[in-house]
Amino acid sequence: MRNGLALVLALLMFVYASINAAALQESSMECWFVFSLMASSALALSLLTLRPATSIALVSALVMALQYAAVAKFEQLHDPLLITDLLYFSSFGIFDTLSHYPDIVLIVKYVVPALLVVFGLLLYADIRLWKSRRKPVRRVLQLSGFVLASILVVTIDSARGPFASVVDKSLWSSLSDASHLANFFVSIPNSGIELPTFPGAPGAADSWPMAAADSRMPERKPDIFMVLEESTFDPRTLTMCAIDECRLPGFF
């Protein structure tokens, strides 16, 4: 009885997150993209933990948290929430900054403890997958299922997957639409940096106009709006720069 109630509660949380987060994207394709990521992530986590109700509820809660954070950032800064934002804020005094926002303080004070209680009850009442199986068989099913489900998650959030038209969206488009969750998930595979290929001749790095002229124009132009040389320029690329200032640790 309690196993069924736990699963029903988790599914209700999943439906709530689907309606109030996944379904709020601008296009139907983006809605299905976010929903597919939610479902496949819940499946992967369920196979990893063997606790389906707890896993479904956890994915739903994380999606709603991302939706709230994405909307808050877009309303305050008019910028989309990107995966790099999480990496950036994790290294600074983010908790001190968030403490100045009353809405966030209320969430931490009341919603977080309530969710901890809910997850504790779900974990207690949750069904355990393949409990009757022998341990070696259960481990094989657990690991193989998790690997396959993880491959499904990566495929969905890939430019070669079924939602390639969504994942291939440019950053410029992300700055001007309200598909907050889709923009966040799209930023994950697009967060890598691809450097252009320069001639390998000695001293070529000293003549940037020549190197740029000899380079082929990429098929897809990078989303570069501004380059702040005081923070990104590396003087070590200039072979003629032999003074000590070119080797200061502050440059790298």
Side-chain angles (χ1 to χ4, degrees):
M1 180 66 178
R2 68 183 187 185
N3 294 341
L5 290 176
L7 187 58
V8 169
L9 178 58
L11 291 175
L12 288 176
M13 293 179 64
F14 189 86
V15 171
Y16 180 85
S18 300
I19 296 174
N20 293 277
L24 298 182
Q25 313 310 301
E26 286 198 345
S27 68
S28 59
M29 182 64 72
E30 289 174 325
C31 293
W32 283 111
F33 167 67
V34 175
F35 179 80
S36 300
L37 281 176
M38 289 175 56
S40 57
S41 299
L43 176 62
L45 191 59
S46 298
L47 292 171
L48 177 64
T49 63
L50 301 180
R51 303 280 187 172
T54 306
S55 301
I56 294 172
L58 181 59
V59 169
S60 304
L62 291 176
V63 167
M64 288 306 304
L66 285 175
Q67 172 70 9
Y68 179 84
V71 171
K73 185 187 177 187
F74 193 81
E75 291 179 350
Q76 297 292 330
L77 303 176
H78 301 287
D79 285 332
L81 180 70
L82 307 176
I83 185 64
T84 50
D85 293 325
L86 302 184
L87 300 176
Y88 176 81
F89 286 120
S90 64
S91 303
F92 292 84
I94 184 61
F95 294 107
D96 180 66
T97 302
L98 295 178
S99 64
H100 294 81
Y101 292 85
D103 292 342
I104 298 178
V105 173
L106 289 176
I107 290 176
V108 173
K109 193 174 181 180
Y110 297 105
V111 177
V112 173
L115 285 176
L116 291 177
V117 173
V118 170
F119 282 117
L121 293 175
L122 284 175
L123 192 61
Y124 169 75
D126 202 356
I127 187 175
R128 189 171 181 83
L129 295 176
W130 303 312
K131 185 178 180 180
S132 59
R133 300 273 187 174
R134 291 184 300 174
K135 189 173 182 179
V137 177
R138 188 169 66 245
R139 292 302 183 195
V140 171
L141 292 173
Q142 179 183 12
L143 294 178
S144 59
F146 172 70
V147 170
L148 292 176
S150 300
I151 294 175
L152 178 61
V153 174
V154 174
T155 302
I156 292 174
D157 199 17
S158 169
R160 297 183 178 180
F163 297 96
S165 59
V166 176
V167 180
D168 217 24
K169 184 170 65 172
S170 65
L171 181 60
W172 180 256
S173 300
S174 302
L175 294 173
S176 56
D177 63 30
S179 299
H180 304 302
L181 281 181
N183 295 336
F184 174 80
F185 292 124
V186 165
S187 70
I188 297 176
N190 295 333
S191 59
I193 300 175
E194 296 183 6
L195 298 177
T197 302
F198 290 98
D206 297 337
S207 180
W208 285 35
M210 180 191 70
D214 293 341
S215 300
R216 294 186 303 170
M217 182 65 67
E219 296 181 1
R220 179 182 176 185
K221 296 181 180 179
D223 296 318
I224 298 177
F225 304 113
M226 181 181 297
V227 176
L228 303 177
E229 291 194 355
E230 67 272 15
S231 61
T232 62
F233 181 69
D234 187 355
R236 293 175 298 176
T237 60
L238 301 178
T239 56
M240 295 179 62
C241 187
I243 60 177
D244 294 336
E245 284 74 10
C246 288
R247 301 295 180 264
L248 289 177
F251 283 109
F252 30 88

